[in-house]
Amino acid sequence: MYTAELIKGKTYSVMGHVFLLNQVKDIEKKVFQYLDGNEFFDCKQHDVPVDNPKTDDQPKEDDKPVKEEEEPAQETKIYTETELKDMKKDGQEAVIVDLGGDPSEFKNESERIAFILENQQQQEKAGE
């Protein structure tokens, strides 16, 4: 398994992945090979443990129920249309990802901006 974390800059788009600052993402080997050594990324290869037949009958640490901690509510930035127009495509795509959308669904800047503005309004209403 491979992961990459953007450690410099705001967003970075490569090989179908949109990276946001300080966000760790699982990636494929070819993306790992491409990004490894790039000063903007912290790339790691995680060794997948081989199952030990002697301990397979015992519950593993990962199998135990984990009490999930609530993440503190994070204030999401509300972008104006002007701010969105001033953004580059990668920045707009990162906002779309944050809002739960798929950047590949949009043909041009105006469609991306319309999606962002509409979804920001919906999230504001839901959060009230």
Side-chain angles (χ1 to χ4, degrees), residues 1 7 9 18 21-22 29 35 43 48 54 72 79-80 100 104 110 125-126:
M1 182 168 100
I7 56 175
V18 177
L21 183 63
N22 299 324
K29 184 176 181 177
L35 293 175
C43 297
V48 178
K54 292 180 183 177
Y79 296 94
T80 64
S104 65
S110 61
K125 289 177 184 175

Side-chain angles (χ1 to χ4, degrees), residues 48-63:
V48 178
V50 178
D51 288 338
N52 184 344
K54 292 180 183 177
T55 60
D56 277 349
D57 296 339
Q58 300 169 356
K60 297 175 186 162
E61 188 82 24
D62 295 338
D63 293 340

Side-chain angles (χ1 to χ4, degrees), residues 32-72:
F32 172 83
Q33 291 171 333
Y34 180 80
L35 293 175
D36 195 24
N38 183 324
E39 69 183 49
F40 287 83
F41 285 89
D42 180 19
C43 297
K44 294 181 180 164
Q45 177 177 357
H46 302 278
D47 293 327
V48 178
V50 178
D51 288 338
N52 184 344
K54 292 180 183 177
T55 60
D56 277 349
D57 296 339
Q58 300 169 356
K60 297 175 186 162
E61 188 82 24
D62 295 338
D63 293 340
K64 295 178 184 173
V66 176
K67 184 179 176 182
E68 287 192 27
E69 295 179 17
E70 277 190 39
E71 289 185 21

